[in-house]
Amino acid sequence: MKRIGILGGTFDPPHIGHLIIAEEVRETLNLEEVWFIPSYEPPHKQKAHVNSETRVEMVERAISGNPHFRISTIEVNRLGKSYTFDTMKALTDENPDVQFYFIIGADMVEYLPYWNHIDDLLNLVMFVGVKRRGYAFKTDYPILEVDVPLIELSSTDIRQRALKNKSIKYMVNSGVEAYLKEKHLYEDR
Ligand code: ATP
């Protein structure tokens, strides 16, 4: 079986926390690739601040340069609410030779009981949890825990900094930083 990691998210915008956890889990679990899947409409939180085309562009810029990272536009192409179960059902049907490892931060670990079709989803993928400041990582589900450097960053932080014209250098990679500036994303307009 091929071993592929999945990092689903809103990526509003993608930051180095996403990249570091993906790379660390890939290396620790010996995954061939990690696929980044931007959601169209996240079921569990408010709508994204920028449209899906823009978030896809930012993810492409964020992952460029890592030959193990890929993007899947399955959720933005499907439109509607992006339930992970629907996505992983489609991906496992299309890729019967792959074991998927679905990477989530501790905030999502705590939220797992509320995921759509969580019991069926647990049969489709192996969940991999990573720690995140402010979240206890408490769960009754059988998930793998991978130790990663604690990165105290969120997309919310980046948006707030952009709004205040504060530097986001090194918090997002340089391609994403240039794109945010060029398009004036998240700025006060
Ligand atoms: P927002 O601040 O807008 O809620 P976010 O920073 O949580 O966004 P998402 O795109 O929603 O970013 O996150 C995608 C996945 O990456 C989630 O599973 C989330 O838990 C995880 N993640 C994001 N940032 C970190 C981080 N700094 N440490 C650990 N996990 C993270």
Side-chain angles (χ1 to χ4, degrees), residues 8 10-11 15 18 45 105 107 132 151 153-156 159:
T10 318
F11 302 114
H15 52 73
H18 297 125
K45 55 176 157 186
D107 51 318
R132 192 168 187 184
I151 308 292
L153 264 186
S154 66
S155 299
T156 304
R159 291 194 302 272

Side-chain angles (χ1 to χ4, degrees), residues 1-6 25-35 68 70 95-103 126 128 144 146:
M1 292 283 267
K2 277 169 69 171
R3 299 159 65 82
I4 304 285
I6 300 285
V25 171
R26 184 191 69 74
E27 188 170 56
T28 306
L29 298 183
N30 214 355
L31 308 178
E32 286 182 35
E33 291 175 347
V34 178
W35 299 354
H68 302 288
R70 291 213 281 148
N95 302 276
D97 58 332
V98 172
Q99 168 66 55
F100 287 104
Y101 292 82
F102 198 94
I103 305 164
M126 173 59 84
V128 180
L144 275 175
V146 169

